[in-house]
């Protein structure tokens, strides 16, 4: 089917496109100049004046070169190229030399003025139009058989060539702006994901430190529990600094592309869920971890999403429901990993008020993170006053 065809660019054209613009322009100018003296091609060209007076052959050769060789600077100095080529073309027509392929240089120069940046473009176009009008008057005075309609038609043809160059320039600018917009969007997406990482790192570790510091204030002086609380604060602080240094290293890195559905470049899960649960439990929160099934091979983005989901859920438990029993269920299948973080009612039996619902961007951030890798996320109160977070994460969410 035609829709299934793939357009391939010949290898030679690819190599030609990689050449510097100045070198390509020089090659075009030399080829056109040489072709203008090849007998089968030398008679192909514009014959605006229709005069047959002719002139010295050497002058004719110089005028042909004047219409072709300036194309070597058509990209860098299109206005200069048009001025030289236009003057050579005008003298070539008024002196009555026979048509030559070199007259194509005028079309190429006009196209270049339209397709490339030109200083004082309107002045250049106004001067070119005035010069063409003068040329038309001079040819008429010299007895040209071509009248005003012929002069006008040729002018319209030249205008169409210039308009084609303008169209190409605008399309090129549109494509460049689209690429810049895509790059800005990719950069914004990467910043957003890094912000999510910073949020998870800071809230988890700082929350643990704040809770432990507050509890230590009410413990007997020099007790073992004070030492344990201070050790937990020290450990959380060190881990927070380690992860923040890692994130700052990514922010300073260059040349990394942001790809939707992947972890931010250079970021991976900072540890195992078992270790995470043990740290929270050591901080005084009753947490249990239950695993079911064999853990499949998981992609980097999926592993990070799983870890951050458990981390943020436990952070919310410590902040909003301290002391309430919590269970982390990890259920694995070949294609998915199901995460359930269930917080029960108070161990004292007071369930009327339920579990305080987390506020802020924590739940929204978890939902966005899970959905980015193609998973499903739900969270809300359950049963007898508890709170439940559930995430189903694909094993290969970064592919």
């Amino acid at each position: 089917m035609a829709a299934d065809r793939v357009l391939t660019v010949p290898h030679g054209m690819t190599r030609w496109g990689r050449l510097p613009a100045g070198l390509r322009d020089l090659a075009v100018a030399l080829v056109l100049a040489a072709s203008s003296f090849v007998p089968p091609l030398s008679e192909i060209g514009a014959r605006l004046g229709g005069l047959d007076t002719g002139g010295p052959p050497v002058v004719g050769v110089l005028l042909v070169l004047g219409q072709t060789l300036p194309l070597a600077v058509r990209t860098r100095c299109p206005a200069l190229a048009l001025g030289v080529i236009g003057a050579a073309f005008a003298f070539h027509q008024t002196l009555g030399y026979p048509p030559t392929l070199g007259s194509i240089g005028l079309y190429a120069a006009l196209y270049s003025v339209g397709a490339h940046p030109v200083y004082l473009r309107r002045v250049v176009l106004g001067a070119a139009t005035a010069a063409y009008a003068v040329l038309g008057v001079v040819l008429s005075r010299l007895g040209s058989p071509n009248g005003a309609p012929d002069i006008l038609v040729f002018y319209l043809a030249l205008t169409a060539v210039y308009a084609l160059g303008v169209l190409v320039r605008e399309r090129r600018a549109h494509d460049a702006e689209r690429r810049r917009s895509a790059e800005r969007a990719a950069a914004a997406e990467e910043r957003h994901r890094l912000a999510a990482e910073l949020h998870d790192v800071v809230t988890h570790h700082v929350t643990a430190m704040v809770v432990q510091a507050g509890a230590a204030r009410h413990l007997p002086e020099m007790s073992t529990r004070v030492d344990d609380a201070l050790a937990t604060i020290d450990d959380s602080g060190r881990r927070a600094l380690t992860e923040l240094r890692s994130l700052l290293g990514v922010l300073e890195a260059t040349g990394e592309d942001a790809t939707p559905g992947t972890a931010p470049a250079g970021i991976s899960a900072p540890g195992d869920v078992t270790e995470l649960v043990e740290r929270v439990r050591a901080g005084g929160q009753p947490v249990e971890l239950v695993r079911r099934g064999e853990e499949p091979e998981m992609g980097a983005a999926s592993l990070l999403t799983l870890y951050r989901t458990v981390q943020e859920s436990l952070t919310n438990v410590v902040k909003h429901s301290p002391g309430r029993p919590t269970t982390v269920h990890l259920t694995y299948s070949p294609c998915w990993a199901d995460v359930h973080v269930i917080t029960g009612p108070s161990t004292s039996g007071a369930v009327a008020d339920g579990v305080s619902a987390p506020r802020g961007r924590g739940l929204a951030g978890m939902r966005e993170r899970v959905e980015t890798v193609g998973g499903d996320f739900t969270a809300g109160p359950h049963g007898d006053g508890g709170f439940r977070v559930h995430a189903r994460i694909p094993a290969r969410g970064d592919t």
Side-chain angles (χ1 to χ4, degrees):
M1 296 178 63
D4 296 328
R5 297 176 182 172
V6 178
L7 180 63
T8 58
V9 179
H11 182 62
M13 293 181 61
T14 303
R15 293 169 58 184
W16 170 260
R18 287 199 296 263
L19 292 175
L23 187 58
R24 294 199 305 268
D25 292 343
L26 178 60
V28 170
L30 293 177
V31 170
L32 182 59
S35 301
S36 300
F37 299 101
V38 176
L41 302 176
S42 60
E43 298 180 359
I44 301 176
R47 188 177 176 84
L48 179 62
L51 302 175
D52 295 321
T53 55
V58 175
V59 176
V61 170
L62 293 177
L63 292 177
V64 171
L65 295 178
Q67 296 176 72
T68 55
L69 293 183
L71 291 177
V73 296
R74 71 179 189 88
T75 299
R76 292 167 291 174
C77 304
L80 175 62
L82 176 62
V84 176
I85 291 175
F89 175 84
F91 281 110
H92 192 273
Q93 296 297 319
T94 55
L95 293 177
Y97 284 99
T100 173
L101 187 65
S103 60
I104 294 179
L106 180 63
Y107 299 98
L110 273 170
Y111 169 85
S112 300
V113 170
H116 300 286
V118 174
Y119 182 67
L120 298 177
R121 182 182 302 275
R122 292 184 179 180
V123 174
V124 172
L125 295 177
T129 300
Y132 184 83
V134 172
L135 175 62
V137 173
V138 171
L139 291 176
S140 177
R141 293 293 181 88
L142 293 177
S144 172
N146 297 327
D150 299 309
I151 301 295
L152 179 60
V153 169
F154 190 72
Y155 178 79
L156 293 177
L158 295 178
T159 303
V161 173
Y162 169 78
L164 177 61
V166 172
L167 180 63
V168 171
R169 174 166 52 87
E170 292 178 349
R171 174 60 61 88
R172 192 183 298 129
H174 175 73
D175 292 342
E177 179 59 29
R178 185 170 57 185
R179 286 193 299 271
R180 286 192 294 269
S181 298
E183 292 171 357
R184 287 194 295 266
E189 175 66 17
E190 187 72 356
R191 287 195 300 269
H192 179 71
R193 287 184 285 173
L194 286 171
E197 292 296 320
L198 286 170
H199 170 269
D200 292 346
V201 169
V202 172
T203 55
H204 175 75
H205 292 294
V206 172
T207 297
M209 295 165 65
V210 170
V211 170
Q212 288 298 315
R217 294 176 59 191
H218 302 287
L219 294 175
E221 189 175 348
M222 300 302 294
S223 71
T224 303
R225 294 181 61 188
V226 172
D227 292 338
D228 293 340
L230 293 176
T232 302
I233 294 173
D234 179 72
D235 180 67
S236 296
R238 291 179 183 274
R239 289 181 178 274
L241 288 175
T242 299
E243 293 189 44
L244 288 174
R245 288 193 188 100
S246 175
L247 288 171
L248 291 174
V250 174
L251 288 171
E252 291 175 354
T254 58
E256 300 287 353
D257 294 329
T259 303
T262 65
I267 299 297
S268 59
D272 182 70
V273 173
T274 302
E275 182 184 5
L276 172 64
V277 171
E278 290 176 352
R279 290 204 310 271
V280 175
R281 186 187 299 123
Q285 185 72 24
V287 182
E288 293 185 7
L289 175 63
V290 178
R291 293 179 183 266
R292 296 187 180 91
E294 182 179 352
E295 182 177 355
E297 181 182 355
M298 300 186 68
S302 294
L303 278 174
L304 180 61
T305 300
L306 187 151
Y307 185 91
R308 293 303 190 199
T309 300
V310 176
Q311 183 186 57
E312 180 64 20
S313 299
L314 294 179
T315 300
N316 287 336
V317 170
V318 173
K319 290 169 60 178
H320 303 285
S321 308
R324 296 184 183 249
T326 303
T327 305
V328 178
H329 294 273
L330 296 181
T331 305
Y332 297 109
S333 67
C335 298
W336 298 89
D338 279 286
V339 179
H340 290 84
V341 181
I342 303 173
T343 303
S346 172
T347 55
S348 64
V351 298
D353 294 335
V355 176
S356 175
R359 298 178 181 178
R361 72 177 307 276
L363 291 180
M366 283 191 284
R367 180 186 302 278
E368 182 179 354
R369 186 189 293 277
V370 171
E371 291 179 350
T372 297
V373 296
D376 299 315
F377 179 87
T378 57
H382 80 95
D384 51 359
F387 197 87
R388 175 180 178 179
V389 172
H390 171 236
R392 168 164 282 194
I393 301 169
R396 303 295 297 179
D398 56 351
T399 59

